[in-house]
Amino acid sequence: MSYPEPRYLGENGEVNAVYRPVDTTPELDSPTGNRTHYLATHATTGGEFGLYRVDMGPRSPGPSTHFHRSISESFFILSGAVQLYDGDRWITARSGDFLYVPVGGLHAFKNDSDDPASLLLLFAPGAPREEYFEQVAEMTRRGGKELEEFRIRHDSFFVD
């Protein structure tokens, strides 16, 4: 195995790091008690990856079983217990547990417990997932052709 071809060809490096303090206000607060923090968006990383922290309220449903055609998705549980579907079975994942879902892999997640939970979502390569997170509740409410087109535009193919 070898490293990818160099993408930075300068001699001295650059000052270009992006810092996000822990007390930064989340970008999304949902009526179900979920909060989403945009830690590193596709715009921030130049499309390399997207990293989001999701704080789920108690008994918070997540997306049903789906897959992505162009991005992988990884889950790292920070706190609480999150139900993760790995395409074969539901797993109770706890703090420190990790699940990687390759492109095309069936998956889902939810918080079935009476306690809050927090997890990191990593998408690679980075895709503009912010619009998806911001509009999915409204599009689901609308349903029909509009929801179907929204899901396709955001590389989300649901199977149930």
Side-chain angles (χ1 to χ4, degrees), residues 83-97:
Q83 296 294 312
L84 298 175
Y85 183 64
D86 69 358
D88 182 45
R89 62 191 163 97
W90 284 97
I91 302 162
T92 301
R94 301 188 187 285
S95 179
D97 288 344

Side-chain angles (χ1 to χ4, degrees), residues 36-131:
T36 304
H37 304 258
Y38 298 165
L39 302 178
T41 66
H42 75 288
T44 305
T45 68
E48 289 186 35
F49 67 92
L51 181 65
Y52 308 87
R53 187 177 96 213
V54 178
D55 299 325
M56 301 180 80
R59 301 273 167 210
S60 183
S64 60
T65 304
H66 64 285
F67 65 92
H68 306 290
R69 294 184 189 276
S70 64
I71 55 177
S72 66
E73 188 169 355
S74 296
F75 301 83
F76 182 81
I77 309 307
L78 297 170
S79 64
V82 177
Q83 296 294 312
L84 298 175
Y85 183 64
D86 69 358
D88 182 45
R89 62 191 163 97
W90 284 97
I91 302 162
T92 301
R94 301 188 187 285
S95 179
D97 288 344
F98 175 78
L99 176 69
Y100 167 66
V101 182
V103 173
L106 294 170
H107 61 285
F109 67 97
K110 59 188 174 182
N111 179 3
D112 276 348
S113 78
D114 292 327
D115 298 312
S118 185
L119 65 146
L120 293 176
L121 293 179
L122 174 73
F123 297 97
R129 298 298 285 171
E130 301 79 35
E131 181 186 59

Side-chain angles (χ1 to χ4, degrees), residues 133-144:
F133 294 136
E134 293 164 6
Q135 296 180 10
V136 67
E138 173 60 22
M139 291 301 191
T140 300
R141 188 189 66 74
R142 292 181 189 179

